[in-house]
C-alpha cells in the first residue's frame, strides 16, 4: 500500500487515495499527488480519500497489528491470551510469556499497551479531521454526502474511544484535529464522560448513515453497524467497572432490537445449520454477501494485495511435516490455540463444536492423504489455497454479526426482568446451532446460559475478554460435552493455562483487566499521571 502521512506525535492524519464504486473497489488504491493539509480539503476525491482512510487505521487495524512484528499474536488476540482461554504456543514474546506467568508488570506490558494507545488515537485523529473539514466542503459535496461522511467519521471516533475506555479506563478526550503542538497535553477524562461522548457520536452517526445491509453498502458502515456498536457499548457500560446497571442494560436491549426490527440483517440458516462445508458457519467464514455480517474487516489478496494473514495462525507448526503448506514467509505458528476446556464444553449436537465449523483436527489433501493435527486448529481462519500457494487469504474477518445482536438483546432483557423475551432471542441462536430451546433457566442462571452461548458462538471473534472484564466472571468446566459452563467470580476462578496446560486459581487480578498507560505517553504528557492502579 502507498500512503501519505503527516504525523503530529501520536495523532495523525493518514490520507489514503482510494477510488470506490463497489465492495472490491473499496480496497483498490490509486495514489494522488501528495498534498499538504491546507491543500487537501478541496475536491470530492479528497473527502473520499479521507473517509476511506478511516477503514485502514484505528480499531480495524488491530487485525494487522502484531506484538513485536512478524509471527506473533495480533492485537485482536491479546485479551484472549491474557484470559488463558487461548494460548500462544510460540512463547517467544515478552507480553505473552509474562501473561502466562502472571507477571503483570509495566516492563512486560508497556510495548503492547503503547501499540494499542497509538493505534486508537491515530484512528481518532483521522476521524477528527473528517468531522472538522468535510462540513466546510459545500462547494464540492452535496448535503447528503456531507452528512454521510461525517457520520462515518463519528462512528470511527466512537469506535476508537470505546476501545480506549475499555482498555485503559480514564483517557484524554480529543474531539478536534491537531494542527499545531499547542495544547496537545490533555488530562484524562473520567470513563463515564467518555462513554457519554461515545453515545452522542453514535446517535448522530445512526441518523446519518445509510440504511442498508453491510455488503449491500459496498462494505461501508451502515445505520445497523452503528446501532450494533452502540448496543455493544451499552452492554459494556452497564457492567464493570462503571456498573451502569439496569437502565443501561435496558438501552443495550432496546438498541439491539432496533437492528432486529430494521430487517436488514438475519441469521444464516436460521432454522438449523447443516454440519458440512456448506454450513452457516462456513458461509460466514467465506462469504462477501451474507446478511449475517453487520461489519467486517475487509481483505482481498487476489485482486488488490490486501491479504488476511490469519490463515498462518490457524494451524500449528506440526503441519509443516505434511509437506502440503507453504505459507507466506514460509511460517505456520500456533499463536492463538483454544484451550481444551472450551473445545470439550460444546454439546455433541452443537454444530459449532463439530469438525470443520469453528475448529478442526483432520485434513485431507488433494491426493486423498489424511492428516491429523497435534493441536486443535482454527477452521474459522483456515484458508487452504493461500496456505498452499504461499499467500495471504481473501476471507474477511467478521467483527459484528447478527447473532451477537440477538444475544445482546437476550442479555439486556434477562438483566431487566423480561426473561421470556430474553429466551426468545437466545433460542434463535441455539436453534441455528442445533440445540434445544432453553425453557427453564431464570435469574443468574439465564444470564450464565447467555454468557455460555456468547463464548460458544464467538470463540474466534475476540469477545471473551470483554465479557470477563464487564462481568468479573470466568468460565470453568461443567462436565465433558455438557453444553454448559460454570461462571465463577474472577478472584476465585481456576484460570486456564497459567502456565500452559495448568490452571491457577485467582491468576488474573481484577486490576489487570485495565492496561497500564504507556510510559512514553506519560513522559510526553505528565498530565496523564497517575498510572492505572497496581501497575508498578
Amino acid at each position: 500500500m502507498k500512503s501519505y502521512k503527516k504525523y503530529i506525535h501520536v495523532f495523525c492524519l493518514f490520507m489514503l487515495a482510494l477510488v470506490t464504486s463497489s465492495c472490491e473497489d473499496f480496497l483498490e488504491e490509486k495514489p494522488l499527488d501528495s498534498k499538504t493539509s491546507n491543500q487537501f480539503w478541496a475536491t470530492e476525491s479528497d473527502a473520499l480519500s479521507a473517509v476511506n482512510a478511516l477503514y485502514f487505521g484505528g480499531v480495524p487495524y488491530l487485525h494487522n497489528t502484531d506484538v513485536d512484528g512478524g509471527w506473533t499474536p495480533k492485537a485482536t488476540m491479546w485479551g484472549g491470551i491474557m484470559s488463558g482461554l487461548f494460548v500462544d504456543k510460540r512463547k517467544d514474546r515478552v507480553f505473552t510469556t509474562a501473561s502466562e506467568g502472571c507477571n503483570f508488570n509495566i516492563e512486560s506490558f508497556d510495548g503492547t499497551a503503547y501499540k494499542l494507545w497509538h493505534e486508537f488515537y491515530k484512528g481518532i485523529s483521522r476521524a477528527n479531521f473528517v468531522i472538522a473539514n468535510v462540513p466546510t466542503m459545500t462547494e464540492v459535496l452535496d448535503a447528503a454526502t456531507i452528512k454521510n461522511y461525517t457520520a462515518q467519521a463519528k462512528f470511527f471516533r466512537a469506535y476508537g474511544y470505546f476501545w480506549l475506555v475499555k482498555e485503559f479506563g480514564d483517557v484524554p478526550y480529543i474531539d478536534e484535529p491537531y494542527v499545531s503542538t499547542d495544547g496537545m497535553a490533555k488530562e484524562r477524562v473520567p470513563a463515564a464522560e467518555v462513554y457519554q461522548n461515545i453515545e452522542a457520536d453514535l446517535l448522530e452517526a445512526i441518523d446519518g448513515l445509510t440504511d442498508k445491509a453491510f455488503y449491500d453498502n459496498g462494505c461501508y458502515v451502515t445505520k445497523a453497524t452503528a446501532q450494533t456498536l452502540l448496543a455493544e457499548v451499552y452492554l459494556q457500560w452497564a457492567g464493570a467497572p462503571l456498573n451502569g446497571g439496569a437502565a443501561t442494560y435496558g438501552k443495550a436491549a432496546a438498541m439491539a432490537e432496533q437492528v432486529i426490527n430494521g430487517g436488514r440483517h438475519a441469521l444464516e440458516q436460521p432454522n438449523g445449520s447443516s454440519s458440512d462445508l456448506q454450513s452457516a458457519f462456513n458461509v460466514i467464514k467465506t462469504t462477501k454477501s451474507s446478511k449475517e455480517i453487520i461489519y467486517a474487516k475487509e481483505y482481498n489478496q487476489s485482486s488488490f494485495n490486501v491479504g488476511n494473514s490469519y490463515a498462518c495462525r490457524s494451524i500449528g507448526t506440526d503441519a509443516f511435516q505434511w509437506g502440503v503448506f507453504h505459507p507466506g514467509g514460509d511460517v505456520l505458528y500456533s499463536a492463538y490455540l483454544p484451550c481444551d476446556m472450551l473445545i470439550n464444553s460444546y454439546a455433541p449436537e452443537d454444530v459449532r463444536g463439530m469438525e470443520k465449523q469453528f475448529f478442526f483436527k483432520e485434513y485431507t489433501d488433494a491426493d486423498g492423504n489424511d492428516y491429523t493435527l497435534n493441536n486443535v486448529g482454527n477452521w474459522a481462519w483456515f484458508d487452504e489455497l493461500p496456505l498452499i500457494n504461499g499467500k495471504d487469504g481473501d476471507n474477511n474477518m467478521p467483527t459484528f454479526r447478527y447473532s451477537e445482536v440477538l444475544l445482546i438483546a437476550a442479555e439486556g432483557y434477562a438483566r431487566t426482568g423480561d426473561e421470556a423475551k430474553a429466551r426468545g432471542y437466545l433460542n434463535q441462536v441455539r436453534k441455528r446451532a442445533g440445540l434445544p430451546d432453553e425453557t427453564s433457566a431464570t435469574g443468574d442462571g439465564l444470564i450464565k446460559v447467555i454468557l455460555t452461548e456468547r463464548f460458544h458462538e464467538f470463540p474466534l471473534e475476540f469477545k471473551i475478554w470483554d465479557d470477563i472484564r464487564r462481568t468479573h466472571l470466568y468460565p470453568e468446566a461443567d462436565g465433558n460435552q455438557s453444553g454448559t459452563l460454570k461462571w465463577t467470580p474472577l478472584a476465585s476462578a481456576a484460570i486456564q493455562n497459567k502456565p500452559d496446560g495448568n490452571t491457577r486459581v485467582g491468576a488474573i487480578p481484577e486490576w489487570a483487566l485495565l492496561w497500564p498507560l504507556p510510559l512514553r505517553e506519560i513522559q510526553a504528557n505528565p498530565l496523564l499521571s497517575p498510572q492505572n492502579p497496581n501497575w508498578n
Side-chain angles (χ1 to χ4, degrees):
M1 283 189 174
K2 291 183 180 179
S3 60
Y4 300 98
K5 304 178 183 178
K6 186 176 181 180
Y7 285 93
I8 303 176
H9 192 46
V10 300
F11 310 105
C12 69
L13 171 64
F14 187 21
M15 298 180 179
L16 288 174
L18 303 173
V19 177
T20 64
S21 61
S22 69
C23 190
E24 284 73 23
D25 291 340
F26 177 76
L27 287 165
E28 186 174 15
E29 299 185 41
K30 296 181 180 180
L32 303 173
D33 291 337
S34 180
K35 300 181 179 183
T36 63
S37 59
N38 61 351
Q39 295 174 321
F40 185 78
W41 304 98
T43 68
E44 184 177 357
S45 180
D46 290 344
L48 184 58
S49 296
V51 169
N52 285 339
L54 301 172
Y55 294 78
F56 291 88
V59 176
Y61 202 73
L62 297 183
H63 289 285
N64 298 67
T65 300
D66 296 293
V67 175
D68 295 312
W71 313 312
T72 57
K74 294 179 180 291
T76 45
M77 303 173 177
W78 296 349
I81 289 171
M82 289 176 72
S83 76
L85 296 164
F86 298 87
V87 185
D88 175 15
K89 290 287 187 180
R90 283 184 62 90
K91 305 188 188 306
D92 61 352
R93 291 295 184 255
V94 172
F95 153 67
T96 56
T97 301
S99 177
E100 190 173 305
C102 306
N103 298 317
F104 296 103
N105 58 75
I106 288 182
E107 289 78 6
S108 299
F109 286 77
D110 183 61
T112 43
Y114 179 76
K115 287 194 173 186
L116 292 173
W117 183 278
H118 181 273
E119 198 58 52
F120 298 147
Y121 275 114
K122 181 169 68 177
I124 289 164
S125 178
R126 297 178 188 181
N128 282 338
F129 273 98
V130 173
I131 293 165
N133 289 283
V134 163
T136 70
M137 301 177 70
T138 54
E139 293 186 4
V140 294
L141 298 176
D142 60 44
T145 300
I146 288 172
K147 184 175 183 179
N148 180 265
Y149 284 3
T150 304
Q152 290 185 63
K154 289 192 172 182
F155 171 87
F156 281 105
R157 183 167 71 182
Y159 204 11
Y161 276 117
F162 180 44
W163 274 77
L164 268 167
V165 76
K166 284 190 305 177
E167 304 297 332
F168 296 100
D170 302 349
V171 293
Y173 189 83
I174 299 148
D175 60 358
E176 57 187 20
Y178 280 99
V179 294
S180 76
T181 58
D182 294 339
M184 288 189 67
K186 300 285 188 181
E187 294 181 343
R188 299 166 74 181
V189 170
E193 185 177 333
V194 178
Y195 270 105
Q196 290 166 2
N197 290 331
I198 292 167
E199 178 185 35
D201 266 352
L202 288 175
L203 288 173
E204 291 187 29
I206 288 166
D207 181 58
L209 290 170
T210 306
D211 188 12
K212 291 182 179 180
F214 175 68
Y215 282 118
D216 292 344
N217 196 44
C219 300
Y220 287 97
V221 297
T222 68
K223 178 179 180 179
T225 311
Q227 289 170 324
T228 301
L229 177 57
L230 185 51
E232 195 174 271
V233 166
Y234 285 140
L235 190 69
Q236 205 75 26
W237 190 353
L242 293 186
N243 299 309
T248 315
Y249 281 119
K251 286 184 175 182
M255 188 55 59
E257 204 158 52
Q258 286 190 33
V259 180
I260 295 166
N261 294 336
R264 299 298 184 184
H265 294 276
L267 292 177
E268 289 288 339
Q269 302 180 23
N271 294 319
S273 174
S274 66
S275 58
D276 55 19
L277 294 181
Q278 285 72 50
S279 70
F281 308 105
N282 277 294
V283 170
I284 290 165
K285 167 184 171 178
T286 58
T287 187
K288 295 197 175 181
S289 61
S290 173
K291 292 296 193 291
E292 178 150 351
I293 305 299
I294 298 175
Y295 180 65
K297 178 70 176 80
E298 193 185 7
Y299 292 100
N300 192 324
Q301 175 71 29
S302 298
S303 299
F304 305 116
N305 200 33
V306 181
N308 178 339
S309 63
Y310 278 89
C312 291
R313 295 161 172 85
S314 69
I315 187 170
T317 55
D318 55 297
F320 267 133
Q321 301 169 11
W322 307 345
V324 177
F325 302 119
H326 311 282
D330 200 32
V331 171
L332 293 171
Y333 45 103
S334 308
Y336 198 72
L337 293 185
C339 67
D340 291 342
M341 186 275 291
L342 167 60
I343 299 299
N344 294 335
S345 68
Y346 285 95
E349 66 271 24
D350 191 331
V351 174
R352 299 167 299 190
M354 296 180 184
E355 179 75 5
K356 294 182 177 62
Q357 300 303 318
F358 289 152
F359 307 105
F360 74 118
K361 285 276 287 186
E362 310 297 331
Y363 173 75
T364 302
D365 68 17
D367 297 324
N369 299 308
D370 294 326
Y371 305 94
T372 300
L373 290 168
N374 292 339
N375 297 289
V376 171
N378 296 328
W379 183 258
W381 302 340
F382 181 77
D383 201 349
E384 183 177 43
L385 290 180
L387 285 175
I388 290 172
N389 295 326
K391 296 182 178 180
D392 286 341
D394 291 331
N395 292 339
N396 292 346
M397 286 295 295
T399 301
F400 303 142
R401 288 197 280 122
Y402 186 72
S403 55
E404 184 180 9
V405 171
L406 293 171
L407 292 177
I408 290 173
E411 185 172 348
Y413 282 119
R415 290 184 183 273
T416 53
D418 195 339
E419 294 188 343
K421 208 167 196 178
R423 282 191 287 268
Y425 289 130
L426 166 66
N427 286 334
Q428 290 185 48
V429 180
R430 289 175 62 84
K431 181 178 182 179
R432 196 262 295 276
L435 298 173
D437 283 354
E438 175 56 64
T439 59
S440 60
T442 188
D444 285 347
L446 177 57
I447 291 166
K448 290 177 179 179
V449 170
I450 295 167
L451 291 174
T452 298
E453 204 63 36
R454 284 178 60 87
F455 195 24
H456 284 163
E457 178 72 13
F458 311 114
L460 298 174
E461 290 168 58
F462 319 113
K463 308 291 182 180
I464 186 59
W465 187 239
D466 283 350
D467 287 348
I468 292 169
R469 185 155 40 193
R470 67 185 174 85
T471 65
H472 286 193
L473 298 175
Y474 188 90
E476 293 185 328
D478 190 29
N480 195 46
Q481 294 188 301
S482 64
T484 63
L485 290 164
K486 298 175 185 176
W487 289 85
T488 304
L490 185 63
S492 58
I495 308 299
Q496 295 286 323
N497 295 302
K498 303 291 185 187
D500 190 355
N502 296 276
T503 60
R504 179 177 168 185
V505 173
I508 302 174
E510 289 184 354
W511 56 262
L513 297 175
L514 288 181
W515 284 82
L517 301 185
L519 295 179
R520 278 172 283 185
E521 294 300 324
I522 294 176
Q523 291 166 357
N525 176 14
L527 295 178
L528 293 176
S529 295
Q531 178 61 269
N532 277 338
N534 295 301
W535 285 100
N536 298 316

